[in-house]
Amino acid sequence: MSPIVTLIASFLLLIALSVPIAFAIGLASIITIWQLDIPLTSVVNQMFASINSFPLLAVPFFLLLGRLMNDGGITDRLLRFADSTVGHIRGGLGHINVMVSMMFASLSGSAAADTASVGAVLIPAMKKAGYPSPFAVALTAASSVLGGIIPPSILMVIYGAFGNVSVGALFLGGVVPGLLIGLAQMGYAYSVARRLNLQAESEFSLRQVARTGLVAAPPMILPIVVLGGITAGVFTATEAASVAVLVGLLLAVVFYRAIRLRALPGILAESVIAYSLPMFAVAAAGIMGWLISYLGIADEVARFILSVTDTRVGIMLMVMACMLIIGTVLSPVTAVIIFLPIIQSICVAADIDQIHMALIVILSLTLGLVTPPYGICLLIASQIGEVSTPRAFVAILPLIGLVMLIILAGILVPDLFLFLPQMVMPEAFGIR
């Protein structure tokens, strides 16, 4: 049997037997390596090589930052600021939901954390205000995917680390699509509120905006520190993440006094556990990614796609379609590590900009967070809202369609996504 067939068949069989994804990837890779008569020490070497990366150290720091912001009461302060800013517009709670997700995304970089923290407050509030439960769940889940798009994004850090792509340029490239998706979701929330004849939840007060804005301003400095420091060349993404954690720690412990020093060991321990789970998947996916390169699968797939179409738009549409499908069964992090060799081979063969392709891949994969069977954000929101997953999925389809339209716009008009990173970091594109 061909090693490629063995790899794919064993992986699918293990998935069918309900083996966890990370273990299925690792076991399928080990079976294939054994068939190829490669020393099994290669498994350990590749797993270690996958996680022995300085840029990956940014991931635990961003996870810790998100935990500090959540336990430090930052979510409540962002909610009050969003309420004073957009709560007076029809569909106010929907706009608050999206706006808080956008701000939370710029602090934690984790979509699942966004869903859990924001959803616990806003889904019950939206249901009480008269919004249909499936819509409240759908909007919360859909807006939470901005955690993988708006910087700092953990997914972008991992893509940059494994693909040798500028993390700073990816962060900047995620700003415009993140804002466009957020505005589109707000527009949809307004249309739903208008159809249901739901009125605004509060009145606009400039004094209230100023008061809540002053309270929420300190944590909002963190994204500026991260992005500004990276793009100015002051520090790397990992160093930026560590600086952000120090600032976040000062805010939560000293400025807001929401976290006591004796609670820090528990927060650190829980952050380590939260980091260890995806890192095991990263290590396992690293073996499969290496096998894909070793067996020449990446070059074969690149040649096949180029035999179907040789236009930039056609190739990127095919990659987008593949990533949308892959995202329904694999986490974005795992999918990036496994398929990155194929994606980059396609970019080299078709002369497509690596950063542009990275943004399309990341945007497409984040939709997997709200599409079953993986759909972790949709599952979390459904559980909070006490709505069945099928009902929530039907409700989220229009929001998925809006994101797909924005991805298509980015494919057809590359400058829509790339003008900001090209302007701020031209060296990442070879522009001098």
PDB file of all heavy atoms in Angstrom, residues 231-251:
ATOM      1  N   THR A 231       5.735  46.577  14.595  1.00  0.00           N
ATOM      2  CA  THR A 231       5.912  47.257  13.303  1.00  0.00           C
ATOM      3  C   THR A 231       7.064  48.256  13.333  1.00  0.00           C
ATOM      4  O   THR A 231       7.708  48.503  12.317  1.00  0.00           O
ATOM      5  CB  THR A 231       4.621  47.986  12.885  1.00  0.00           C
ATOM      6  OG1 THR A 231       4.210  48.873  13.934  1.00  0.00           O
ATOM      7  CG2 THR A 231       3.506  46.986  12.624  1.00  0.00           C
ATOM      8  N   ALA A 232       7.340  48.814  14.524  1.00  0.00           N
ATOM      9  CA  ALA A 232       8.452  49.762  14.641  1.00  0.00           C
ATOM     10  C   ALA A 232       9.790  49.052  14.792  1.00  0.00           C
ATOM     11  O   ALA A 232      10.839  49.692  14.789  1.00  0.00           O
ATOM     12  CB  ALA A 232       8.220  50.694  15.827  1.00  0.00           C
ATOM     13  N   GLY A 233       9.738  47.721  14.941  1.00  0.00           N
ATOM     14  CA  GLY A 233      10.968  46.959  15.086  1.00  0.00           C
ATOM     15  C   GLY A 233      11.577  47.034  16.473  1.00  0.00           C
ATOM     16  O   GLY A 233      12.744  46.677  16.671  1.00  0.00           O
ATOM     17  N   VAL A 234      10.781  47.494  17.457  1.00  0.00           N
ATOM     18  CA  VAL A 234      11.287  47.608  18.825  1.00  0.00           C
ATOM     19  C   VAL A 234      11.447  46.230  19.439  1.00  0.00           C
ATOM     20  O   VAL A 234      12.413  45.952  20.150  1.00  0.00           O
ATOM     21  CB  VAL A 234      10.339  48.475  19.678  1.00  0.00           C
ATOM     22  CG1 VAL A 234      10.829  48.533  21.125  1.00  0.00           C
ATOM     23  CG2 VAL A 234      10.228  49.867  19.093  1.00  0.00           C
ATOM     24  N   PHE A 235      10.477  45.340  19.185  1.00  0.00           N
ATOM     25  CA  PHE A 235      10.575  43.985  19.703  1.00  0.00           C
ATOM     26  C   PHE A 235       9.820  43.013  18.806  1.00  0.00           C
ATOM     27  O   PHE A 235       9.044  43.421  17.933  1.00  0.00           O
ATOM     28  CB  PHE A 235      10.069  43.860  21.146  1.00  0.00           C
ATOM     29  CG  PHE A 235       8.882  44.722  21.502  1.00  0.00           C
ATOM     30  CD1 PHE A 235       7.689  44.618  20.809  1.00  0.00           C
ATOM     31  CD2 PHE A 235       8.969  45.637  22.528  1.00  0.00           C
ATOM     32  CE1 PHE A 235       6.595  45.398  21.151  1.00  0.00           C
ATOM     33  CE2 PHE A 235       7.879  46.429  22.868  1.00  0.00           C
ATOM     34  CZ  PHE A 235       6.698  46.313  22.185  1.00  0.00           C
ATOM     35  N   THR A 236      10.065  41.727  19.013  1.00  0.00           N
ATOM     36  CA  THR A 236       9.410  40.679  18.236  1.00  0.00           C
ATOM     37  C   THR A 236       8.007  40.422  18.793  1.00  0.00           C
ATOM     38  O   THR A 236       7.623  40.980  19.826  1.00  0.00           O
ATOM     39  CB  THR A 236      10.216  39.375  18.299  1.00  0.00           C
ATOM     40  OG1 THR A 236      10.219  38.899  19.661  1.00  0.00           O
ATOM     41  CG2 THR A 236      11.649  39.585  17.829  1.00  0.00           C
ATOM     42  N   ALA A 237       7.254  39.540  18.124  1.00  0.00           N
ATOM     43  CA  ALA A 237       5.903  39.211  18.584  1.00  0.00           C
ATOM     44  C   ALA A 237       5.937  38.595  19.984  1.00  0.00           C
ATOM     45  O   ALA A 237       5.087  38.900  20.832  1.00  0.00           O
ATOM     46  CB  ALA A 237       5.244  38.247  17.603  1.00  0.00           C
ATOM     47  N   THR A 238       6.935  37.740  20.240  1.00  0.00           N
ATOM     48  CA  THR A 238       7.049  37.107  21.556  1.00  0.00           C
ATOM     49  C   THR A 238       7.376  38.138  22.629  1.00  0.00           C
ATOM     50  O   THR A 238       6.786  38.130  23.718  1.00  0.00           O
ATOM     51  CB  THR A 238       8.145  36.022  21.529  1.00  0.00           C
ATOM     52  OG1 THR A 238       7.803  35.050  20.544  1.00  0.00           O
ATOM     53  CG2 THR A 238       8.279  35.348  22.878  1.00  0.00           C
ATOM     54  N   GLU A 239       8.298  39.019  22.327  1.00  0.00           N
ATOM     55  CA  GLU A 239       8.654  40.066  23.289  1.00  0.00           C
ATOM     56  C   GLU A 239       7.478  41.014  23.510  1.00  0.00           C
ATOM     57  O   GLU A 239       7.221  41.457  24.635  1.00  0.00           O
ATOM     58  CB  GLU A 239       9.877  40.831  22.792  1.00  0.00           C
ATOM     59  CG  GLU A 239      11.149  39.987  22.775  1.00  0.00           C
ATOM     60  CD  GLU A 239      12.244  40.578  21.913  1.00  0.00           C
ATOM     61  OE1 GLU A 239      11.962  41.510  21.136  1.00  0.00           O
ATOM     62  OE2 GLU A 239      13.385  40.098  22.000  1.00  0.00           O
ATOM     63  N   ALA A 240       6.734  41.302  22.437  1.00  0.00           N
ATOM     64  CA  ALA A 240       5.551  42.159  22.555  1.00  0.00           C
ATOM     65  C   ALA A 240       4.512  41.513  23.460  1.00  0.00           C
ATOM     66  O   ALA A 240       3.871  42.185  24.283  1.00  0.00           O
ATOM     67  CB  ALA A 240       4.955  42.419  21.170  1.00  0.00           C
ATOM     68  N   ALA A 241       4.331  40.197  23.312  1.00  0.00           N
ATOM     69  CA  ALA A 241       3.360  39.476  24.139  1.00  0.00           C
ATOM     70  C   ALA A 241       3.756  39.524  25.613  1.00  0.00           C
ATOM     71  O   ALA A 241       2.917  39.709  26.495  1.00  0.00           O
ATOM     72  CB  ALA A 241       3.248  38.032  23.668  1.00  0.00           C
ATOM     73  N   SER A 242       5.050  39.364  25.888  1.00  0.00           N
ATOM     74  CA  SER A 242       5.512  39.392  27.283  1.00  0.00           C
ATOM     75  C   SER A 242       5.345  40.785  27.885  1.00  0.00           C
ATOM     76  O   SER A 242       4.961  40.925  29.056  1.00  0.00           O
ATOM     77  CB  SER A 242       6.970  38.936  27.368  1.00  0.00           C
ATOM     78  OG  SER A 242       7.816  39.800  26.615  1.00  0.00           O
ATOM     79  N   VAL A 243       5.617  41.833  27.097  1.00  0.00           N
ATOM     80  CA  VAL A 243       5.413  43.206  27.573  1.00  0.00           C
ATOM     81  C   VAL A 243       3.929  43.447  27.851  1.00  0.00           C
ATOM     82  O   VAL A 243       3.560  44.062  28.867  1.00  0.00           O
ATOM     83  CB  VAL A 243       5.944  44.219  26.535  1.00  0.00           C
ATOM     84  CG1 VAL A 243       5.520  45.638  26.907  1.00  0.00           C
ATOM     85  CG2 VAL A 243       7.460  44.143  26.442  1.00  0.00           C
ATOM     86  N   ALA A 244       3.066  42.951  26.952  1.00  0.00           N
ATOM     87  CA  ALA A 244       1.621  43.115  27.131  1.00  0.00           C
ATOM     88  C   ALA A 244       1.145  42.424  28.407  1.00  0.00           C
ATOM     89  O   ALA A 244       0.272  42.938  29.114  1.00  0.00           O
ATOM     90  CB  ALA A 244       0.883  42.551  25.919  1.00  0.00           C
ATOM     91  N   VAL A 245       1.724  41.260  28.718  1.00  0.00           N
ATOM     92  CA  VAL A 245       1.357  40.552  29.951  1.00  0.00           C
ATOM     93  C   VAL A 245       1.748  41.377  31.173  1.00  0.00           C
ATOM     94  O   VAL A 245       0.986  41.480  32.139  1.00  0.00           O
ATOM     95  CB  VAL A 245       2.023  39.156  30.000  1.00  0.00           C
ATOM     96  CG1 VAL A 245       1.948  38.572  31.406  1.00  0.00           C
ATOM     97  CG2 VAL A 245       1.343  38.219  29.022  1.00  0.00           C
ATOM     98  N   LEU A 246       2.932  41.982  31.143  1.00  0.00           N
ATOM     99  CA  LEU A 246       3.370  42.813  32.266  1.00  0.00           C
ATOM    100  C   LEU A 246       2.426  43.997  32.465  1.00  0.00           C
ATOM    101  O   LEU A 246       2.033  44.313  33.595  1.00  0.00           O
ATOM    102  CB  LEU A 246       4.804  43.310  32.028  1.00  0.00           C
ATOM    103  CG  LEU A 246       5.916  42.270  32.164  1.00  0.00           C
ATOM    104  CD1 LEU A 246       7.269  42.881  31.784  1.00  0.00           C
ATOM    105  CD2 LEU A 246       5.968  41.727  33.591  1.00  0.00           C
ATOM    106  N   VAL A 247       2.052  44.640  31.361  1.00  0.00           N
ATOM    107  CA  VAL A 247       1.116  45.767  31.448  1.00  0.00           C
ATOM    108  C   VAL A 247      -0.240  45.285  31.955  1.00  0.00           C
ATOM    109  O   VAL A 247      -0.866  45.922  32.816  1.00  0.00           O
ATOM    110  CB  VAL A 247       0.975  46.458  30.078  1.00  0.00           C
ATOM    111  CG1 VAL A 247      -0.072  47.560  30.148  1.00  0.00           C
ATOM    112  CG2 VAL A 247       2.303  47.037  29.622  1.00  0.00           C
ATOM    113  N   GLY A 248      -0.711  44.148  31.405  1.00  0.00           N
ATOM    114  CA  GLY A 248      -1.984  43.591  31.843  1.00  0.00           C
ATOM    115  C   GLY A 248      -1.980  43.228  33.317  1.00  0.00           C
ATOM    116  O   GLY A 248      -2.970  43.418  34.034  1.00  0.00           O
ATOM    117  N   LEU A 249      -0.842  42.712  33.790  1.00  0.00           N
ATOM    118  CA  LEU A 249      -0.702  42.340  35.202  1.00  0.00           C
ATOM    119  C   LEU A 249      -0.786  43.587  36.087  1.00  0.00           C
ATOM    120  O   LEU A 249      -1.463  43.581  37.128  1.00  0.00           O
ATOM    121  CB  LEU A 249       0.635  41.635  35.404  1.00  0.00           C
ATOM    122  CG  LEU A 249       0.850  40.866  36.715  1.00  0.00           C
ATOM    123  CD1 LEU A 249      -0.180  39.754  36.852  1.00  0.00           C
ATOM    124  CD2 LEU A 249       2.255  40.285  36.748  1.00  0.00           C
ATOM    125  N   LEU A 250      -0.120  44.650  35.674  1.00  0.00           N
ATOM    126  CA  LEU A 250      -0.184  45.908  36.425  1.00  0.00           C
ATOM    127  C   LEU A 250      -1.607  46.457  36.462  1.00  0.00           C
ATOM    128  O   LEU A 250      -2.077  46.945  37.499  1.00  0.00           O
ATOM    129  CB  LEU A 250       0.763  46.939  35.806  1.00  0.00           C
ATOM    130  CG  LEU A 250       2.265  46.699  36.007  1.00  0.00           C
ATOM    131  CD1 LEU A 250       3.081  47.698  35.193  1.00  0.00           C
ATOM    132  CD2 LEU A 250       2.628  46.809  37.489  1.00  0.00           C
ATOM    133  N   LEU A 251      -2.309  46.369  35.331  1.00  0.00           N
ATOM    134  CA  LEU A 251      -3.691  46.861  35.283  1.00  0.00           C
ATOM    135  C   LEU A 251      -4.601  46.059  36.205  1.00  0.00           C
ATOM    136  O   LEU A 251      -5.391  46.629  36.967  1.00  0.00           O
ATOM    137  CB  LEU A 251      -4.221  46.793  33.844  1.00  0.00           C
ATOM    138  CG  LEU A 251      -3.661  47.797  32.839  1.00  0.00           C
ATOM    139  CD1 LEU A 251      -4.204  47.514  31.444  1.00  0.00           C
ATOM    140  CD2 LEU A 251      -4.015  49.224  33.250  1.00  0.00           C
TER     141      LEU A 251
END
